Every structure is written in structure tokens, then in C-alpha cells.
Amino acid sequence: MANTKKVVSLSPVPLYTQIKEVLRTRILGGTYKPHQQIPSESEMMNSFGVSRITVRQALGDLQKEGMIFKIHGKGAFVSKPKAFQNIGQLQGFGEAMARMGYETFSQLVSIKTLAAGRAVGAKLKIKEREQVTELRRVRYLNREPISLDVSYLPKTIGDRLAKEDLAHRDIFLILENDYGLSLGQAELQIEAMLADDSLARLLKIEEGSPVLRIERLTFTAAGQPLDYEHLFYRGDAFQYRLRIERGHI
Amino acid sequence: MANTKKVVSLSPVPLYTQIKEVLRTRILGGTYKPHQQIPSESEMMNSFGVSRITVRQALGDLQKEGMIFKIHGKGAFVSKPKAFQNIGQLQGFGEAMARMGYETFSQLVSIKTLAAGRAVGAKLKIKEREQVTELRRVRYLNREPISLDVSYLPKTIGDRLAKEDLAHRDIFLILENDYGLSLGQAELQIEAMLADDSLARLLKIEEGSPVLRIERLTFTAAGQPLDYEHLFYRGDAFQYRLRIERGHI
DNA sequence: CATGATGACTTGTCATTACAAGTTGAGACG
DNA sequence: CGTCTCAACTTGTAATGACAAGTCATCATG
């Protein structure tokens, strides 16, 4: 009964989501410290005024996010903060190349406004029918084409970007410096594929050449998905380097 | 009512776990194919003879494992079988797949002792003439070959590993649990290439298919290079997944 | 003193019920 | 013919109730 932060059921956001947010805030804010036991399910039922099934859904989500862990018969505890977890320092194309003294620029292939569709909408967390901006650019290194970037952004941002000098400026630097959007983390998926006809023509390689396909979803620091990209890198001219840590469990 | 695979409640294993296993088997076995809709919750309530909450717990687990995805108002569908490995954390292949509920095993192709040579010696920080163990394994996911792993380790460790059950145990886990070596970080380089004749034969793909080539140098927590590997993943069956923090992009 | 039983906690599993919200197709209507 | 409404599906959210099972401190018993 310590404090009775009532959650409201009239709100459009589900009760268990509200509870999740409250707990997340308390954990990140230090109210609940690592390895400390958090209130039991029945205590939360009382303090939040909800049923056990709702509390359990919130706790289950937090557990699968790695924020807490539960021990049968004992209780739920705050996980150790991820310490070194995501130290994988991604060296972006522009930055890495500039550091090595290479000159790069981008050629804008097309810029369109279209409906998000299911795949893009799901990634950017917007409705299928909402509009997004699609940017296609070929990136050059030493006058050699090295990658095709296909970016999807919410239309509001895409419209502003359309007026910028996309040939020489990095989208992410524009977003951060000019628009004041601070970027958080990104999720990447990397796979190998073969260049089809149109991709081969853009990258000036043979059809059927190996290509690194990278899907990148970038979030703001607040956790809002902002930019969904497909990057196609020439396999013969690019290597992706990263460094990762061993998790401790 | 098609078939009534009753689950038994007397069993010590929870009902939702039994249902998960049944569904997992049907998906991996091809009864439910990728993008195909699986039976609705109410159908499963009848066919399994359990309550909706139990069905939902099974489905929720499968969803978070990435085996299925749900669309509100439409139903639940089988995910594309593309296995993926999250490399935000350093994990062995088997380790990562086991967490997602996939079955894996390795086939030992060859194990040799030979001189390090310049490239391997430089990576492992040993003399060119010193001996190293070369391990070649084909890794299987769901009875399909998915990658060729070529590992180089110092001979002292390689000799011990030669006696282990490398078909079913992860090298990383053996090193950590049995040998007490705690792993630190790893450096990766990823690129795309085409399968040559011998690689294609081992992975049962066409010559010239796209392959993800990964070079991985793993260090102990103390910073000693320990394991230098070349991994060749089938491009059509594998994705590398990564989550990174801010930094410059 | 050691040991075992007990009870009061905790989380885990499961059933039943109810309504909200998204999707889709059929049929009524203009 | 197009469009609109609506019913019949789907999954999402939530309450209530019950018992199982693990943990731990306390207390009675040997």
C-alpha cells in the first residue's frame, strides 16, 4: 500500500502497458535497483487496482525484455543493467570512409511518396495506409558505385529531407543536427543474396554478383522507429566490421 | 475437429508446453507451411480440449520465439523459416538456435593439426611455425546443412576438444563450462561471396549461390585471442541480426 | 541440538467469462 | 454497378477463481 499509483482503464493504452511503463520508469530511475526484489504480484494487484492476470502480463513482457527475472516461489528481481551488451560500434559508411580519406557522395535515384504497406508500416509502427517517403540513393566511393540505399521515413520527415542536399550530406547527420532528433539504437539484419538486373545496373556489376543485403531499422533515443532502410552493398568492395561482447548469464 | 491430438493434464509437463511442442513439430515438419494460417484459438481450444488462456500462452511463446506472427482480427501465421542469429551478444550457433527452439547438430568434416602460417598466426598471436588445430564442421538446422565452420585453435586446446562430443555441443559452451575459459569479445568481418564447387557440395546448394562469409576472432575475457573462425552461411537460409546503440551512423 | 513438519508467503498453471477491436465477406440499398 | 451496413469471424484485454509448486522461517519433536 506504499503508494497507490492508480492506472486508469478509460485510457486507450492497455492497463498492462501502463503498468509496464511505471515499472520500467522505476527501474531505470533507480527506485528499484539491480538484484532488488520488486513488489509481489498480489501487492501490485492492490496498489494498481488490477487483476493478477494483468499484472502478470506486464511482468511477463518485462521479463522477456530482460528487464527483470523471476524465481519460482521467491519473487521477481531487477536484472543487472546490460553493462557491455551493445558496444557493437557500427561504423557507418560515410564516417568510416571519411576517416580513411576517401571521398564519397550519393546520387539521388528517386524520391516518392507512397502508402506504407504492411511491411514498412509494421517496422515504422504506422498504419498501412499512412504515407511514407521512399528515398533511393546510390552511394559512391572514389567515383565507383558501392551501394544502393532504399530508405523509408514518415512523410513529415521525408518532405523536409526532400529539400536538403542529400548528395553530400548524411541523412543521419541532418536528422540529428538540423532537426534535433537524437538517434538511439538500430536493429540490423544481414544476409547474402545475388544482384538482380536492376541492382546490377545501378552498382555497375554483373548480374548474379554477390551482394550484402542489410536491413536497418533506426530508432530515436526515445525508442520511436524513424528510418527503415534496405542497403545493398557490393560484395567485392565492402566488408562489414564489428566487435561484440560475450553476454554474461 | 480434424484431428484430436489430446494433451494430457496428468503429465508433469504443462499443457501449454505440450501444445507448443505439437505446433512446433507441425511447423518444422511442414504440416503448417510458411505464411500459412494456423488454426484459430477457438479451434485449438476444441481440438486440444483446453481453455483459451492456455492456447494463448502457447501461441505467445511461439510468437516471441519468432516461429509465428499474429495479425489482430485475422489470425496467426507461420513465419518464414529463416533462422536468424542475434549478434548483439556473442553466442555460438547452437546456443542461439537452441534458444529459439530449433534443433541443431554438427557434422565433423575433418580435424587436423598443422602449422599456423602467417594469416592464422597473426590473428591468434602465435608464431607461424607453431601448431594449431583446424576443425571443419558442417552445421545442420532442421536436418538441412546451413553453414561450414572452419575453426583454428591453439593445439593445446584443440587436442582436448578432439575428445569432446562436437556433434551436439557448442564449442563456446565447452570452453566456458568445461575448461573454465571465460570468453570476452569477438571481432567480426562480414562479406558476401559466391559458393565455389567444394563449398556448394558441402552445403548442398548450387555453385555460385550467395554465401555470407564471416570471419570471427574470439578473445578470452583476458583479451587473449582464442578461436579464429571462418563461417560460410547459406544466404538463402540464414540471417544475421544485430542491435546496436547510438554512435555515428 | 538437529530435524522434520507446518504454514505463510511467493510464482506457475489453468478454467471460465466478458467485452473490445480489427478483418472480411455477404447482402441490402442507392 | 458501386457502396454501405452488418454479421461472423479473428485476436486483444481484463476480471475472478482455483489449485499446484517452490521457498523460507518458525516451531514442535526426536
Side-chain angles (χ1 to χ4, degrees):
Chain A
M1 26 185 86
N3 47 4
T4 324
K5 288 261 181 56
K6 269 292 188 310
V7 285
V8 276
S9 65
L10 300 176
S11 163
V13 41
L15 292 176
Y16 73 87
T17 303
Q18 297 180 50
I19 294 177
K20 261 168 59 183
E21 290 312 315
V22 170
L23 295 177
R24 200 200 308 281
T25 304
R26 290 184 187 166
I27 290 172
L28 294 177
T31 308
Y32 302 146
K33 295 184 177 45
H35 270 89
Q36 182 184 329
Q37 184 168 6
I38 67 177
S40 73
E41 293 176 357
S42 56
E43 282 177 301
M44 292 197 195
M45 286 172 63
N46 295 331
S47 67
F48 288 118
V50 300
S51 74
R52 188 172 167 220
I53 212 172
T54 305
V55 171
R56 280 184 66 78
Q57 181 145 14
L59 293 181
D61 282 10
L62 288 175
Q63 181 179 31
K64 95 177 173 207
E65 286 174 20
M67 205 118 206
I68 63 172
F69 62 96
K70 295 192 264 191
I71 301 179
H72 188 175
K74 291 189 68 174
F77 306 83
V78 178
S79 299
K80 265 188 303 197
K82 13 198 145 183
F84 267 111
Q85 187 178 347
N86 291 324
I87 213 164
Q89 177 86 300
L90 174 64
Q91 288 230 323
F93 179 77
E95 190 206 12
M97 295 304 135
R99 235 177 235 182
M100 298 176 63
Y102 291 113
E103 294 215 4
T104 68
F105 73 96
S106 303
Q107 179 197 351
L108 190 60
V109 176
S110 71
I111 178 167
K112 299 179 206 169
T113 300
L114 38 80
R118 184 182 298 280
V120 175
K123 292 289 184 182
L124 292 180
K125 287 214 195 321
I126 59 178
K127 296 255 193 307
E128 286 184 35
R129 292 178 308 278
E130 268 188 77
Q131 295 210 302
V132 295
T133 302
E134 183 203 79
L135 274 172
R136 283 175 185 266
R137 292 170 300 159
V138 174
R139 314 200 72 157
Y140 287 78
L141 172 66
N142 277 355
R143 287 180 292 283
E144 287 260 0
I146 195 140
S147 78
L148 168 67
D149 294 12
V150 183
S151 310
Y152 297 93
L153 299 115
K155 182 171 184 302
T156 50
I157 295 173
D159 284 347
R160 293 181 67 182
L161 278 176
K163 306 186 189 79
E164 307 283 352
D165 175 19
L166 294 175
H168 297 97
R169 294 197 60 198
D170 202 324
I171 284 190
F172 290 89
L173 295 181
I174 295 176
L175 294 178
E176 271 197 321
N177 299 334
D178 298 11
Y179 299 176
L181 293 165
S182 66
L183 303 178
Q185 56 181 203
E187 285 176 5
L188 298 182
Q189 286 179 43
I190 305 172
E191 60 189 319
M193 55 168 277
L194 300 181
D196 63 14
D197 176 63
S198 70
L199 181 57
R201 228 192 318 264
L202 284 169
L203 297 184
K204 296 205 177 83
I205 53 179
E206 295 287 321
E207 189 176 339
S209 298
V211 172
L212 263 189
R213 179 181 182 278
I214 300 177
E215 226 178 282
R216 177 165 67 183
L217 180 60
T218 306
F219 298 84
T220 65
Q224 190 77 18
L226 180 63
D227 178 20
Y228 179 51
E229 296 173 299
H230 292 194
L231 315 175
F232 302 90
Y233 283 105
R234 282 173 57 168
D236 63 341
F238 191 77
Q239 274 190 345
Y240 213 78
R241 284 173 203 234
L242 57 124
R243 159 184 298 241
I244 57 181
E245 298 282 336
R246 174 82 169 157
H248 43 279
I249 295 187
Chain B
M1 18 189 98
N3 48 2
T4 324
K5 289 262 180 56
K6 270 292 189 309
V7 285
V8 275
S9 65
L10 302 176
S11 164
V13 41
L15 291 176
Y16 73 87
T17 303
Q18 297 180 48
I19 294 176
K20 261 169 60 184
E21 289 313 314
V22 170
L23 295 178
R24 201 202 306 284
T25 304
R26 289 185 188 166
I27 290 172
L28 294 178
T31 307
Y32 302 145
K33 295 183 177 46
H35 270 89
Q36 182 183 327
Q37 183 168 6
I38 66 177
S40 73
E41 294 176 357
S42 55
E43 282 177 301
M44 291 195 196
M45 285 171 64
N46 295 330
S47 66
F48 289 117
V50 299
S51 78
R52 190 172 165 218
I53 210 174
T54 305
V55 171
R56 279 183 67 78
Q57 181 146 13
L59 294 181
D61 283 10
L62 288 175
Q63 182 178 30
K64 94 176 174 212
E65 286 174 19
M67 207 115 207
I68 63 172
F69 62 95
K70 294 194 265 192
I71 301 178
H72 189 174
K74 291 188 68 175
F77 304 83
V78 178
S79 299
K80 267 192 301 211
K82 208 148 202 184
F84 67 85
Q85 185 170 358
N86 188 326
I87 52 177
Q89 274 190 337
L90 178 55
Q91 283 183 331
F93 177 77
E95 212 179 334
M97 292 304 129
R99 250 176 224 191
M100 302 191 48
Y102 289 107
E103 300 261 333
T104 68
F105 73 96
S106 304
Q107 179 198 350
L108 190 61
V109 176
S110 71
I111 179 167
K112 299 180 205 167
T113 300
L114 38 79
R118 182 181 303 278
V120 174
K123 292 289 183 182
L124 292 180
K125 287 212 193 322
I126 58 178
K127 297 256 194 307
E128 285 184 38
R129 292 179 310 279
E130 268 188 75
Q131 295 210 300
V132 294
T133 302
E134 184 203 78
L135 273 172
R136 281 175 185 267
R137 291 170 300 158
V138 174
R139 318 208 66 158
Y140 288 78
L141 172 66
N142 229 19
R143 289 181 290 282
E144 289 263 340
I146 195 145
S147 77
L148 168 67
D149 293 14
V150 183
S151 309
Y152 298 94
L153 299 116
K155 184 171 183 303
T156 50
I157 294 174
D159 284 346
R160 294 181 65 182
L161 278 176
K163 305 186 190 80
E164 306 283 353
D165 176 20
L166 294 175
H168 296 98
R169 294 197 60 197
D170 215 316
I171 285 190
F172 279 12
L173 294 181
I174 295 176
L175 293 177
E176 277 199 316
N177 298 334
D178 298 11
Y179 300 175
L181 293 166
S182 66
L183 301 179
Q185 57 180 204
E187 285 176 4
L188 297 182
Q189 285 181 39
I190 303 173
E191 60 190 319
M193 54 168 277
L194 300 182
D196 63 14
D197 176 61
S198 71
L199 182 57
R201 225 190 324 260
L202 283 170
L203 295 184
K204 297 205 177 85
I205 53 178
E206 295 287 319
E207 190 177 339
S209 298
V211 171
L212 211 53
R213 179 184 183 277
I214 299 174
E215 230 178 278
R216 179 165 66 181
L217 180 59
T218 305
F219 298 84
T220 64
Q224 191 77 18
L226 180 64
D227 179 18
Y228 179 52
E229 296 172 298
H230 291 195
L231 316 174
F232 301 89
Y233 283 105
R234 282 174 57 167
D236 63 340
F238 194 75
Q239 278 185 344
Y240 239 60
R241 196 171 278 198
L242 167 66
R243 182 188 207 101
I244 54 173
E245 289 293 332
R246 205 190 54 78
H248 258 339
I249 301 191

